[in-house]
Amino acid sequence: MSNILRRGRLEASQDEEILRYTSSMEADRWIFYADIAVDLAHTVMLKEQGIINAEDCSKILAGLLKIREEGMEKLDFSYEDIHISLESRLIDMVGEDVGGRMHSGRSRNDEVATCIRLVLREELTGLLEEIFALRTTFLGLAEKHTSTLMPGFTHLQHAQPTTLAHHLCAHEAALGRDFDRVQDAFSRVNLCPLGAAAFASTGFNLNRKRTEELLGFEGLMENSMDAVSSRDFLIECASVFTNLMINLSRVAEELVIWSSSEFNFVELDDAYASTSSIMPQKKNPDTAELMRGKTGVAVGALMSLLTICKGLPLSYNRDLQEATPNIWRSVETVRASVKVMEGMIRTMKVHSKVLEAQSITGFTTATELADTFVRETGIPFRTAHQIVGILAKDCESPSIEKIDSVSRIVLEESLSGRGLTENMVKEALNPVSNIQRRKVIGGPAPEEMRRYLSKRQTELELNKQEIATLKDIIDSAFENLLSVVGEYRKS
Ligand code: ARG
């Protein structure tokens, strides 16, 4: 059959090169099933509104189900997009007098926007599950290490002792916010543009609420011009993905550093490592490096989306076709990264002994020593800071005599004269008592960490239920659509 779209207004057929330049068929693989769902819902609604008759409806639905069964490969890839290719296949199957009625009151503009939202909604749900799994793994590992000392860093220099649990929970907290952001974006993705047609809606008596319901959306993109022309939901998701990817790349960076010989804090499982083609001894943390690198995909997708959407006049412009593949690239990379990170964290070997030994190198207890001076002798913190700073120049574990000699220079009196004892100094320099003291909300003290962990677990349990609810709404909508389709097919 001749091209059903170009046989009217246009004369020349497009050569290969132009077609390849303008077609979205390849990227449309992502929306094949969604497009059929949209076609099914629209056809059901057309029949219910008396716009097409029951017999035509039944034939169209049967044709669509057949196309769904045959899969994307059976479609004609010389069309400019999946929507028109699919319609052409339908017309081939059931004839134009029937199949040619499906597109009544609809445009590819509202159709494609609906498809993107349907697929993205699924991807976001999957991503929520994956972030959930990663957070669970972080918390599980943290639970085992509430007493495992390690050095905490600022400027990548040893700073103060902390615990591995505290460090892991910091990453989990960031992922928790990523989870919330995905959920939040979901609520704006899960709105139905269908019925907006080209942009000005339609004179057909469509029931937009019915297609919204059949596709399991939470509401409508009401303004029909906004419905077809806005892609801010893509920018929002790409931004959420970028944030998540950046959080992952920070973990990845630490895994790279931590598995170096200098640090030797962890060893990644062999499955996540590579070796050298020349240096047989090498075990490289390639998977973590790749994750750091793949962050560029998410950042790039966001930049592309922003640039494509900037300055577009209302309403639909074909530029928008270039926007869509960016979100697929980004979500694919981000989802894979979350999954791989989960495995990498779950299987890595923690070198607790090294962590503990390193927890005090670099005089990490200096802050606690200064704090002890303040609490026990009443001197101002700034003065204590100066005394410990001078001590730190040439030792990591000063004796009370040494402390007194410096304090005599700074204060013109000894701190032991103001009540400081050798025991107090010993306590201050002990990393275990350091972290035990840090029991303010969010601190690394094991008892505080246990409270924090149990709170996080409860929140995670809630998140689990939220994901289940989302999945349930989507799944039952789709089951309902198929059962309505089943009924109308028979009649
Ligand atoms: N492939 C197009 C896209 O992704 C579908 C909409 C085409 N609409 C049009 N007026 N040419 O945006």
Coordinates of all heavy atoms in Angstrom, one line a residue, residues 2 12 37 50 82 94 102 136 150 185 207 224 231 257 285 324 328 337 381 383 386 396 433 477 483 488:
S2 N 0.4 2.3 -0.6 CA 1.2 3.5 -0.7 C 1.2 4.1 0.8 O 0.4 3.8 1.6 CB 0.7 4.5 -1.7 OG -0.6 5.0 -1.2
A12 N 6.5 14.0 -3.5 CA 7.7 13.2 -3.6 C 7.8 12.2 -2.4 O 7.5 12.6 -1.3 CB 8.9 14.1 -3.6
A37 N -1.2 0.0 23.6 CA -2.1 0.3 24.8 C -2.9 1.5 24.5 O -4.2 1.6 24.8 CB -1.4 0.3 26.1
G50 N -19.8 6.3 20.8 CA -20.6 6.2 19.6 C -20.0 6.8 18.4 O -20.6 7.1 17.4
I82 N 6.5 5.2 14.6 CA 5.7 4.0 15.0 C 4.2 4.2 14.8 O 3.5 3.3 14.5 CB 6.1 3.5 16.4 CG1 5.5 2.1 16.6 CG2 5.6 4.4 17.4 CD1 6.1 1.3 17.6
V94 N -7.1 -4.9 8.4 CA -8.6 -4.9 8.5 C -9.3 -4.0 7.4 O -10.5 -3.8 7.4 CB -9.1 -4.4 9.9 CG1 -8.5 -5.4 10.9 CG2 -8.6 -3.0 10.2
M102 N -9.6 4.5 13.3 CA -9.0 4.5 14.7 C -8.4 5.9 15.1 O -8.5 6.3 16.2 CB -7.8 3.5 14.7 CG -7.1 3.5 16.1 SD -5.9 2.2 16.2 CE -4.6 2.9 15.1
T136 N 18.5 -1.0 50.9 CA 18.4 -2.1 51.9 C 19.8 -2.7 52.1 O 20.2 -3.0 53.2 CB 17.4 -3.2 51.3 OG1 16.2 -2.5 51.0 CG2 17.2 -4.3 52.3
M150 N 36.6 3.7 61.6 CA 37.4 4.1 60.4 C 37.7 5.6 60.5 O 37.1 6.3 61.3 CB 36.6 3.8 59.2 CG 35.3 4.6 59.0 SD 34.5 4.4 57.4 CE 35.6 5.2 56.3
A185 N 8.6 13.0 41.0 CA 8.5 13.1 39.5 C 7.4 12.2 38.9 O 6.7 12.6 38.0 CB 9.9 12.8 38.9
N207 N -14.3 11.2 25.4 CA -14.3 11.1 26.9 C -12.9 11.0 27.4 O -12.4 9.9 27.6 CB -15.2 9.9 27.3 CG -15.3 9.9 28.9 OD1 -14.7 10.6 29.6 ND2 -16.2 9.0 29.3
S224 N -5.1 21.4 26.6 CA -4.7 20.5 25.4 C -3.4 21.0 24.7 O -2.7 20.2 24.1 CB -5.9 20.4 24.5 OG -6.2 21.6 23.9
R231 N 7.5 19.2 27.7 CA 8.4 18.1 28.0 C 9.1 18.4 29.3 O 10.2 17.8 29.6 CB 9.4 17.9 26.9 CG 8.8 17.4 25.6 CD 8.2 16.0 25.7 NE 7.7 15.4 24.4 CZ 6.5 15.6 23.9 NH1 5.6 16.3 24.6 NH2 6.1 15.1 22.8
I257 N 39.0 4.5 45.3 CA 40.1 4.9 46.2 C 40.3 3.8 47.3 O 41.4 3.4 47.6 CB 39.7 6.2 46.9 CG1 39.6 7.3 45.9 CG2 40.7 6.6 48.0 CD1 39.1 8.7 46.5
P285 N 39.4 -1.9 39.7 CA 38.0 -1.7 40.0 C 37.2 -1.1 38.8 O 36.5 -0.1 39.0 CB 38.1 -0.7 41.2 CG 39.3 0.1 40.9 CD 40.3 -0.8 40.2
T324 N 13.1 12.9 23.2 CA 12.7 11.6 23.8 C 13.9 10.6 24.0 O 14.0 10.0 25.1 CB 11.6 11.0 23.0 OG1 10.6 12.0 22.7 CG2 10.9 9.9 23.8
W328 N 15.5 7.9 27.5 CA 15.7 6.4 27.5 C 17.1 6.1 27.8 O 17.4 5.2 28.5 CB 15.2 5.8 26.1 CG 13.8 6.1 25.7 CD1 13.4 6.4 24.4 CD2 12.6 6.2 26.5 NE1 12.1 6.6 24.3 CE2 11.6 6.5 25.6 CE3 12.4 6.1 27.8 CZ2 10.3 6.7 26.0 CZ3 11.1 6.3 28.3 CH2 10.0 6.6 27.4
S337 N 23.0 1.2 36.6 CA 24.0 1.6 37.6 C 23.6 1.2 39.0 O 24.4 0.8 39.8 CB 24.3 3.1 37.5 OG 24.8 3.4 36.2
F381 N 37.3 27.5 73.4 CA 37.6 26.5 72.3 C 38.7 27.0 71.4 O 39.6 26.3 71.0 CB 36.3 26.1 71.5 CG 36.7 25.2 70.3 CD1 37.0 23.9 70.6 CD2 36.9 25.7 69.0 CE1 37.4 23.0 69.6 CE2 37.3 24.8 68.0 CZ 37.5 23.5 68.3
T383 N 41.2 28.8 72.0 CA 42.5 28.7 72.7 C 42.9 27.2 72.7 O 44.1 26.9 72.4 CB 42.4 29.2 74.1 OG1 41.8 30.5 74.1 CG2 43.8 29.3 74.7
Q386 N 44.2 26.3 69.4 CA 45.6 26.7 69.1 C 46.6 25.8 69.8 O 47.6 25.4 69.2 CB 45.8 28.1 69.7 CG 47.2 28.7 69.4 CD 47.4 30.0 70.1 OE1 46.6 30.5 70.8 NE2 48.6 30.6 69.9
E396 N 51.3 12.8 67.4 CA 49.9 12.4 67.2 C 49.3 12.0 68.5 O 48.1 11.8 68.5 CB 49.9 11.3 66.2 CG 50.3 11.7 64.8 CD 49.6 10.9 63.7 OE1 49.1 9.8 64.0 OE2 49.7 11.3 62.5
S433 N 36.2 5.8 72.5 CA 35.5 6.8 73.3 C 35.1 8.0 72.5 O 34.1 8.6 72.8 CB 36.2 7.2 74.6 OG 37.5 6.8 74.7
A477 N -4.9 -1.5 36.1 CA -5.4 -0.7 35.0 C -5.2 -1.5 33.7 O -6.1 -1.6 32.9 CB -4.8 0.6 35.0
S483 N -9.3 -6.6 29.7 CA -10.6 -7.4 29.9 C -11.7 -6.6 29.1 O -12.5 -7.2 28.5 CB -10.9 -7.7 31.3 OG -11.7 -6.7 31.9
Y488 N -15.2 -6.2 24.2 CA -15.6 -5.5 22.9 C -15.2 -6.2 21.7 O -15.7 -6.0 20.6 CB -15.0 -4.1 23.0 CG -15.6 -3.2 23.9 CD1 -16.5 -3.6 24.9 CD2 -15.4 -1.8 23.9 CE1 -17.1 -2.8 25.8 CE2 -16.0 -0.9 24.8 CZ -16.8 -1.4 25.8 OH -17.4 -0.6 26.7

